[in-house]
Amino acid sequence: MADQDRKRKFSGRPDSRMSEELDALILKTATRLFGEQGYAATSVEQIAAVAGVGKQTIYRRHPSKESLFKTVIAELGNSFLRAASPSAEMVSSDPLQALYKTMRMLLDLILSPETLSLSRTFIAEGWRFPDLVNHAGAHIFDPLEKLTCTLLTAVSRAGLLKAGCDLEETSQMLATLCLGGPHQQVLFGRRVLLTAQDRDHYLDHAWRAFMTGILATPAPPPSGNRDRR
């Protein structure tokens, strides 16, 4: 949509639907620019210009650039949870499969261009803006660790884990193997796990290796692990 058309569309007092569209447009534009240019190099004026909205339109929703960036991070974390959280029915009927499917979905999410761009921003500028890094921890990393630990707890309650597993520590190690390694390799510029088949293959091997150590009875990846929700 051209800037002039966009400005005409959002001129005047927007109704609830238009307001939601405007919110989404601002966040989408801010996410892209923060990822492409970094936090320090991106201004609210630039975001407004690229989005084709007035600067005050952004400030009415986000009182500062820091507030806008924190909203971008919080929404990214929420989108991860919405996409990766399995249904209660799946967790109840087959918690091991639910955990596997969650890891597979998260692998796609952390390797998405949007996530990688924002990750590079944190690596390059996190030392200058520690409060923003802490915000990312609270709204992305901590909730995902909690989700993984909750699913592993369900696996334990089903009697599938060896006795004595520290669930919090084990869930962190599982996420590091299944997600952290691939994420780090791609951030370093390696062109790996580019296709769904490559990611399935990697996760199958990582899953088998890890589960051999923690399951009471070693088992292959749950059946139907490549089914998408």
Side-chain angles (χ1 to χ4, degrees):
M1 182 184 294
D3 286 351
Q4 288 299 112
D5 292 338
R6 189 180 292 121
K7 287 178 179 178
R8 281 196 294 270
K9 177 179 179 180
F10 293 121
S11 62
R13 183 182 295 275
D15 58 26
S16 59
R17 183 182 63 81
M18 288 177 59
S19 182
E20 290 177 1
E21 290 180 4
L22 187 53
D23 291 341
L25 172 64
I26 291 170
L27 288 180
K28 181 179 180 180
T29 305
T31 299
R32 178 168 67 83
L33 292 180
F34 283 134
E36 291 177 353
Q37 302 179 166
Y39 177 75
T42 301
S43 66
V44 173
E45 289 80 1
Q46 286 178 312
I47 295 169
V50 173
V53 301
K55 184 171 64 174
Q56 291 306 315
T57 298
I58 295 179
Y59 279 127
R60 280 195 293 271
R61 290 163 169 77
H62 310 280
S64 65
K65 183 175 79 167
E66 179 179 338
S67 173
L68 175 55
F69 188 78
K70 286 182 175 180
T71 302
V72 166
I73 295 306
E75 179 53 33
L76 182 65
N78 289 336
S79 70
F80 278 17
L81 289 177
R82 287 194 297 268
S85 296
S87 66
E89 181 181 1
M90 178 182 289
V91 175
S92 176
S93 63
D94 194 339
L96 197 60
Q97 184 180 38
L99 179 60
Y100 185 97
K101 284 179 172 288
T102 293
M103 290 294 104
R104 181 61 184 86
M105 178 62 73
L106 287 174
L107 184 59
D108 279 341
L109 292 170
I110 66 164
L111 296 182
S112 70
E114 177 183 87
T115 304
L116 291 169
S117 293
L118 287 173
S119 296
R120 293 186 179 102
T121 294
F122 278 116
I123 292 172
E125 302 184 68
W127 65 276
R128 298 172 60 189
F129 306 103
D131 184 54
L132 299 182
V133 175
N134 291 335
H135 187 80
H139 289 82
I140 298 178
F141 306 121
D142 292 350
L144 292 181
E145 285 184 6
K146 182 179 179 180
L147 172 61
T148 305
C149 191
T150 297
L151 295 175
L152 198 61
T153 299
V155 174
S156 178
R157 288 174 177 167
L160 300 176
L161 295 188
K162 292 179 179 178
C165 277
D166 183 308
L167 296 179
E168 184 174 341
E169 183 178 88
T170 302
S171 65
Q172 291 172 353
M173 294 172 66
L174 175 63
T176 297
L177 176 63
C178 294
L179 309 175
H183 187 238
Q184 185 180 69
Q185 288 192 61
V186 176
L187 285 176
F188 285 164
R190 297 195 63 192
R191 293 180 57 78
V192 296
L193 305 186
L194 298 178
T195 68
Q197 183 177 7
D198 290 340
R199 295 173 187 181
D200 287 338
H201 181 74
Y202 172 82
L203 192 59
D204 282 354
H205 281 268
W207 181 268
R208 286 192 182 96
F210 195 86
M211 291 301 158
T212 296
I214 68 170
L215 290 183
T217 302
S223 60
N225 58 60
R226 291 180 180 81
D227 294 341
R228 296 291 184 259
R229 286 185 186 82

